[in-house]
Structures are given as structure tokens and as C-alpha cells.
Amino acid sequence: MASPSTPRDGPAPPGPAAAAAAAADAVADGATRVLPVRVTVARSTLDAFDAAPADAASAAALREAAETLRRGQTVAFPTETVYGLGADALSADATRRIFEAKRRPSDNPLIVHVASLAMVDRFATVPDAARPVMARFWPGPLTLLLPKRAGAVPDTVTCGLPTVAVRMPAHPVARYLIQLADTPVAAPSANLSGRPSPTTARHVAEDLRGRVPLILDGGAAQVGVESTVVDLLQDPPVLLRPGGVTYEQLRPLLPTLRVYRKDFVSAALEAQPTTPGMKYRHYSPEARVILLEPAAAAAAANGEAPALADAAGRLRAAVLAELATLRAGTEPFAVVRTHARHTAALPDLVPWQGIEHARSVAPPRGIDYVLGDVADPAAVAQGLFAALRDLDAAGVRAIVVEGISDAHEGLAVMNRLRKAASVVRSV
Ligand code: TXA
Ligand code: MG
């Protein structure tokens, strides 16, 4: 069996008998196929989806993926947020395979992905309050809790809860695959449990090679953090997990929306594993993450330039203090910067913009990784998980991260960083 780190980008060409055997139980053979897929879209709205595979190879890969799902096996596929590890949401056996492949704790429920509203009706009911929200944000990075129909969704998916989390992904490959498989698809992020979510097919292969039969490669995920999870069944509605759809975008439709853990905390919710990231370690690279949280940034984010410059100055002083400690040690380290425009290059560090150009060279001991800029939190979100994974791959043992404000996509970014961090310092 190939070790998880063995690079192997295509299937070994087996004979016809071997191919049939491999198809029957690809995971047992340790064979994971990675197939590039492109889908061209003419129209993608809540009610309509006109799309087609871009070429014959994509069509064949999508057919194979849909058949694999229908056989009760898992398929990793791109979504606009992060890559998902999918299985037939209506099958207990199929969804159990997700938990096995990811080593996911069995009391953490899954999000069910649909290609149409008609598909939702097969397993859940849609309250009136949800309809305008779906009309505005679906397809897209928003997950809604809906009452499940009795007996329709196995307990492996919902962990016995009366609700089921549902979303309609905007990524054309995801939506086309689900439509072709003609079944709702349960899909958590396609990483080993606890690791940063994958935003490329390569990330998925790093974690799941030999553990899943098929990975569809649809390029890098555009959003980079998971979907926003909203519970509309409570009054007032609750934003449970910040993600690709921002609080600011939701507020006009949901004026009473409250953000869990920011606006309130409930002991009952804290005790549930469904409260994202509370019970389990999340998003963690091997390296320890030291998060520098700008205390004044929230106020400064949309405000005055002098306040922002002040915060940036304090942040830079804090980064330099961390650097002094790290330089005194022997471990490789990195600074992940998000305030590039406000602070000068860091002395003695080697600037990196992503790992792709640097994979062939020996990594330096100190890396200055410019992730994006505080003024563009969407870009920071898009590159966040890739940065953590890239720096792990480079052998870095400590990562100092400049935090950003909780505004817009920053809410999701800071939520993930606080969970990934072993140290959080207010600066
Ligand atoms: O963007 C995403 O949402 C990605 C892509 C693949 O679509 N999926 C994803 O799934 O992030 P996952 O399994 O990593 O997150 C599922 C989370 C659970 O940890 C839980 O917090 C919440 O969704 N959830 C699921 N079902 C729930 C329920 N019935 N009640 C409350 N929370 C639920
Ligand atoms: Mg996840």
C-alpha cells in the first residue's frame, strides 16, 4: 500500500480483471485515483442549473464519481469553500465510510449537500423563514439547519438530532456531481479530522491517499474557509459557525441574527459536539500557531487611518518580540503576515508567497509568508488553510500569525485561527 506521502498522480494501469477488482474495493487496495474535472456553466440559480462537463475526460470522471457514490463509496470533490469528502447521505453504510476515512469522531454531524430544492424535500422540510435566505444565498457557502423528515436521514449523518444541516454548493463540479448521482451527498471537509481543511486536490491527497477511492480535482477553492452555518429554527436566529457568507451579508435579511460566542454563549450549546470546534481540536497544523490578536483592530477596521496605523505598529512590535524568541531557538519558524501594506519586510526572513515556487528548494529557517492584506479579508480567508499546510510541508515548527479584525470574512478567519492556535496574545 502506498504511504500517504508517496506522490502518485494517476492510477497505476491495471489489467481488466485487476481493474474490476479495484473498482469493487479501491480503498482496500490503497489505490486513490485523482481525476481533473471541469464543468462549464450556462446558468446556476436556486431553481435552475444548466451545466455540462467541459470535455470528454471530465464527463467520464464525473460519471465514474457519480457511480462510486451510488455504490455507497466515498468521493472527494471540490466545492467553492473547501474540498468535501462525499457519500450518499441517505445511506448509513456509505456515510459511515466518511467517518472511517477521516477518523472523525462519530458524534460530529455532517452537512448534506443538494443540487436542487426538490432534493431537499426528500429528507427535510423547509420552513417559510428559510425561503428568502435560500433565494438570496443558494447556491453558495451557507448551510441552514432544517427539520429532518422522520426516518429519511440516517443517524450517522445527524447524530440523532432532529435537524439536518443542508447546503446547495455553488461550485459547478459539486453541483453537477450531486445532480448526476441523483442523491443528496453528505460531505465534511476532506481532511483527516483535526487538520486544516483542504483547498486543493493535493491537500486532499496528502491526508486521504489510500483512504478514499477517488478525488476529483477542480482546482483551488475560491472561498477557502467552510460555509457559514445558521440556525433559523431558533428565534432570534443564530450564526453557529462563521464562514463564506458574512454576518454583514446576512444582517439585511436576518436583522435579529446573533453570532454564537460573540453575542452570547449558552451552556447547553457548549455541551454539544455540534457547536463547531468546541469539543474537538480543529484546523491544526503540526506546527504550533501563535496568534497575535490586535485588540484595537475591530474598532479600527472600518475606521480611521491613524487608529489602523497604531494597531499595525503594536502588531509589528509584537511580531518582532516573538521573532527574538524564535531566533534564539533552533527550530524553523514562519511569520504569517496579513498587514503587509502597513509594515515593512521583516529583517532576515525569506519572503514566500505560497509554497509552489519553493517546493524544490531547501526551506530557510525563517519564512516571511505574506498571506494577504487586512484590507482584503476575503483574500486572507482564501489562502489561510493553504498557508498552514504549506508551512507544515516546509518543516516549520512555529508559526506567528498576525490576526485581523472580526469584520466581514475576518470573522471566519479569526474563528479558525483561534481554534488552530496554541497561544493567543492580545496586542
Ligand atoms: O463548506 C462546508 O461547509 C464544507 C464543504 C465540504 O461543504 N463542509 C464542512 O463540513 O465544513 P464539516 O463536517 O466540516 O462541518 C459540519 C459542521 C459540524 O461540525 C457542526 O458544527 C455543524 O456543521 N452541523 C452539522 N449538522 C448540524 C446540526 N444538525 N445541528 C447543528 N450543527 C450541525
Ligand atoms: Mg471540517
Side-chain angles (χ1 to χ4, degrees), residues 4-380:
S5 59
T6 306
R8 215 170 89 195
D9 279 316
D25 196 355
V27 190
D29 286 339
T32 296
R33 291 152 48 71
V34 182
L35 302 178
V37 184
R38 280 192 306 125
V39 167
T40 311
V41 182
R43 196 157 60 121
S44 180
T45 66
L46 182 64
D47 302 308
F49 183 55
D50 301 332
D55 47 50
S58 295
L62 284 157
R63 268 198 310 276
E64 180 179 340
E67 281 158 19
T68 305
L69 289 173
R70 293 199 64 83
R71 274 206 315 274
Q73 299 290 333
T74 56
V75 174
F77 61 95
T79 86
E80 71 278 23
T81 56
V82 300
Y83 273 67
L85 180 62
D88 181 348
L90 305 185
S91 158
D93 281 345
T95 48
R96 202 170 296 120
R97 291 200 166 91
I98 294 176
F99 289 86
E100 284 163 11
K102 281 188 53 123
R103 301 201 188 105
R104 182 179 173 103
S106 62
D107 59 355
N108 196 359
L110 304 176
I111 294 171
V112 177
H113 298 66
V114 296
S116 66
L117 276 176
M119 210 177 251
V120 178
D121 288 332
R122 298 187 202 170
F123 63 92
T125 58
V126 179
D128 286 343
R131 292 192 184 276
V133 182
M134 289 172 168
R136 169 74 178 79
F137 294 106
W138 280 12
L142 179 70
T143 295
L144 298 174
L145 300 194
L146 300 176
K148 68 177 184 188
R149 289 193 193 280
V153 193
D155 279 348
T156 38
V157 174
T158 56
C159 302
L161 294 163
T163 56
V164 53
V166 187
R167 96 173 177 99
M168 183 186 289
H171 197 294
V173 170
R175 196 167 175 189
Y176 192 91
L177 171 66
I178 299 162
Q179 182 177 270
L180 198 61
D182 191 26
T183 186
V185 172
S189 48
N191 50 282
L192 284 175
S193 194
R195 300 256 301 139
S197 299
T199 55
T200 65
R202 178 167 57 70
H203 297 157
V204 178
E206 278 169 12
D207 279 19
L208 299 181
R209 193 181 284 283
R211 307 183 65 80
V212 301
L214 185 58
I215 301 170
L216 297 184
D217 183 350
Q222 290 304 297
V223 176
V225 293
E226 299 84 346
S227 62
T228 304
V229 179
V230 170
D231 184 355
L232 287 172
L233 306 174
Q234 299 191 48
D235 189 16
V238 180
L239 193 160
L240 284 171
R241 176 178 77 178
V245 170
T246 65
Y247 170 80
E248 288 84 351
Q249 290 171 318
L250 286 161
R251 259 311 276 271
L253 262 88
L254 302 170
T256 57
L257 182 68
R258 296 191 302 162
V259 179
Y260 189 62
R261 283 221 196 91
K262 190 161 181 256
D263 297 334
F264 75 107
V265 181
S266 120
L269 263 182
E270 287 299 299
Q272 283 184 24
T274 52
T275 301
M278 189 58 201
K279 185 164 168 190
Y280 301 111
R281 199 175 129 97
H282 266 66
Y283 317 116
S284 306
E286 303 289 329
R288 68 180 185 283
V289 173
I290 302 154
L291 173 62
L292 304 178
E293 197 165 323
N302 303 311
E304 300 304 305
L308 189 55
D310 257 22
R314 275 201 307 281
L315 198 55
R316 183 172 174 83
V319 168
L320 292 175
E322 293 296 337
L323 278 180
T325 311
L326 291 169
R327 283 206 183 91
T330 55
E331 294 173 337
F333 59 86
V335 174
V336 170
R337 290 200 295 142
T338 55
H339 288 59
R341 233 191 273 162
H342 304 287
T343 57
L346 292 163
D348 307 332
L349 299 196
V350 177
W352 271 21
Q353 299 266 4
I355 201 174
E356 293 301 344
H357 72 283
R359 280 199 172 241
S360 54
V361 302
R365 191 161 97 84
I367 296 172
D368 181 6
Y369 194 115
V370 176
L371 181 51
D373 195 87
V374 64
D376 187 0
V380 175

